[in-house]
Amino acid sequence: MGQMQLPPLNIGPIALDFPVVQAALSGYSDGPMRRIARRHGAPYTLCEVMLDKFVAELKPRRKTRHFLHIAEEEHPVGGQLMGADPAIFGPAAERMVEAGFDVIDINFGCPVKKVLGRCRGGYHLSQPDVALEIIQTVRDTVPDHIPVTVKMRRGIDDTPESRDNFFHIFDRAYEIGVAATTVHGRTVMQRYDGPSRWEFLRELKQHAGDRVVLGSGDLFTAQSCLDMMEYTGVDGVTVARGAIGNPWIFQQARALSAGQPLPAPPSLHEQRDVIAEHYRLAEELYGAERCVPDMRKFAIKYSKLHPQHAEVRADFCRVKQPGAWMEILDKWYSDDLPGVHPEVEEPNPLASEAALSV
């Protein structure tokens, strides 16, 4: 598809200069990841999803302080909540506003089986009355200037009942006062299998009119972010798995939007400096011992940008002591060689849509 100049994005009163943002990522989008993303061009990020009951009862201890920790450079930043009981969402949302989150995002999209079994996340798409009660509770609880947003999938499954439930929740949410929705092009039952249906997002945005809709699903390259916006007409996109270990995707999307060629992948010295800074921020937040296993999952993703990614990944996986982390950087990132763009193994949604139309 051709290039397009991407417009700014507004989430309620919050004005963002660019419409490609970092999604909430369970187990990943903590403070260090969010700060790295912001420094690389993401105008807005969301924290990893937190359970309403956990947030409402959270005590200010060193062991758990990172959950509500927000650095000054992060604003605006969104806090995402998930749970089962509408009554608990209110106190939890209030706690997140007190912590400094600028937006409260409600998760009706998580497809994990354990979550669904506890009537959370994507399960709410099957019970519109409860979903809407949650939205109403949060909107009534937080101050008027704090936008409330909702993350959804296109339904529990592909049945007509599921579609009706989706549109009922979607339309009523804006009537209640939601500022924006983020919609993933897969169903809850699909989890992460098969392509994201961008055709549904295009239909949805036509239905939504001037209501703000962000798209999600299969955004693993900067070009795919532009392609989704051009093909579907959504107001913005949220990059999820495609941003783990690749914060440069936001800079690359900005360059493409400005009519520039796709920037070269970051050199090994650029990668080394970002990985080292990510580690420093994690160590500062979690402590030297705890950040080692937490950083391993990020290093596995960062290694995909190294031309010898299999060997680099294997060495990162063997790190057990804090000091060994820098030894890996010295071993594999000392020469400032060109990096590589990470391989994309996911299906191409546009190719899938074309096949469906044949």
Side-chain angles (χ1 to χ4, degrees):
M1 299 186 75
Q3 306 295 39
M4 63 181 293
Q5 180 73 42
L6 300 185
L9 171 67
N10 292 321
I11 301 176
I14 297 175
L16 306 177
D17 72 330
F18 195 63
V20 179
V21 308
Q22 185 200 277
L25 285 150
S26 184
Y28 285 97
S29 57
D30 59 358
M33 179 180 178
R34 298 194 304 264
R35 293 171 74 176
I36 294 293
R38 288 303 306 272
R39 295 176 191 180
H40 286 78
Y44 171 69
T45 65
L46 289 123
C47 75
E48 52 187 317
V49 64
M50 288 186 270
L51 291 177
D52 53 356
K53 192 174 190 302
F54 173 81
V55 173
E57 299 175 355
L58 189 63
K59 300 292 189 293
R61 297 171 181 156
R62 176 175 175 78
K63 186 178 179 181
T64 57
R65 67 187 177 96
H66 63 278
F67 286 107
L68 296 180
H69 176 80
I70 302 171
E72 189 59 38
E73 68 180 291
E74 289 190 62
H75 295 288
V77 58
Q80 189 178 89
L81 281 172
M82 179 172 69
D85 185 351
I88 303 177
F89 270 84
E94 195 169 30
R95 185 78 184 277
M96 295 191 88
V97 171
E98 291 170 356
F101 287 101
D102 304 291
V103 177
I104 302 301
D105 189 55
I106 303 168
N107 184 313
F108 291 161
C110 183
V112 176
K113 189 177 295 186
K114 179 174 69 174
V115 169
L116 300 178
R118 293 173 180 170
C119 304
R120 301 167 178 157
Y123 182 85
H124 289 301
L125 296 179
S126 69
Q127 47 178 13
D129 290 346
V130 177
L132 294 171
E133 185 180 353
I134 289 171
I135 296 171
Q136 186 75 65
T137 298
V138 174
R139 183 63 278 174
D140 289 346
T141 301
V142 303
D144 291 344
H145 71 278
I146 298 291
V148 174
T149 58
V150 178
K151 169 67 186 294
M152 307 171 70
R153 284 187 169 228
R154 62 182 172 88
I156 284 284
D157 51 35
D158 282 314
T159 62
E161 180 186 10
S162 177
R163 178 183 171 88
D164 289 346
N165 285 342
F166 172 89
F167 278 98
H168 178 58
I169 296 170
F170 180 87
D171 289 333
R172 184 76 184 101
Y174 288 96
E175 293 172 5
I176 291 171
V178 158
T181 59
T182 297
V183 181
H184 191 293
R186 290 184 178 89
T187 66
V188 174
M189 291 297 101
Q190 267 187 280
R191 296 185 173 85
Y192 296 101
D193 297 331
S196 172
R197 288 293 306 278
W198 289 12
E199 182 64 38
F200 177 84
L201 298 179
R202 179 158 67 174
E203 175 195 354
L204 179 64
K205 182 54 189 172
Q206 290 170 352
H207 168 81
D210 60 2
R211 292 175 290 183
V212 177
V213 178
L214 287 79
S216 172
D218 293 339
L219 300 176
F220 291 93
T221 66
Q223 184 63 55
S224 65
C225 297
L226 274 69
D227 289 347
M228 176 181 275
M229 290 195 64
E230 182 177 1
Y231 183 78
T232 67
V234 292
D235 302 282
V237 296
T238 64
V239 184
R241 292 176 291 163
I244 304 172
N246 186 21
W248 296 275
I249 193 172
F250 300 105
Q251 288 179 339
Q252 293 164 357
R254 285 179 180 269
L256 292 178
S257 174
Q260 301 167 11
L262 178 68
S267 72
L268 296 195
H269 279 187
E270 290 178 273
Q271 294 179 42
R272 177 196 63 190
D273 293 346
V274 169
I275 297 170
E277 174 63 3
H278 194 154
Y279 183 90
R280 186 191 71 79
L281 293 172
E283 187 176 52
E284 186 179 85
L285 187 61
Y286 299 113
E289 296 299 327
R290 184 173 173 189
C291 82
V292 171
D294 280 352
M295 275 298 295
R296 191 177 297 123
K297 62 193 176 190
F298 287 105
I300 288 171
K301 300 295 186 179
Y302 276 120
S303 67
K304 291 186 175 184
L305 281 74
H306 195 289
Q308 293 173 268
H309 50 86
E311 295 95 327
V312 177
R313 173 192 167 117
D315 272 2
F316 273 131
C317 287
R318 283 192 282 266
V319 171
K320 297 291 189 294
Q321 302 298 324
W325 199 266
M326 296 307 163
E327 294 174 8
I328 302 300
L329 294 182
D330 288 341
K331 176 180 178 181
W332 291 107
Y333 294 85
S334 58
D335 295 329
D336 197 17
L337 301 173
V340 298
H341 290 297
E343 292 184 12
V344 179
E345 300 176 359
E346 299 296 319
N348 182 323
L350 291 178
S352 301
E353 301 293 355
L356 287 170
S357 65
V358 173

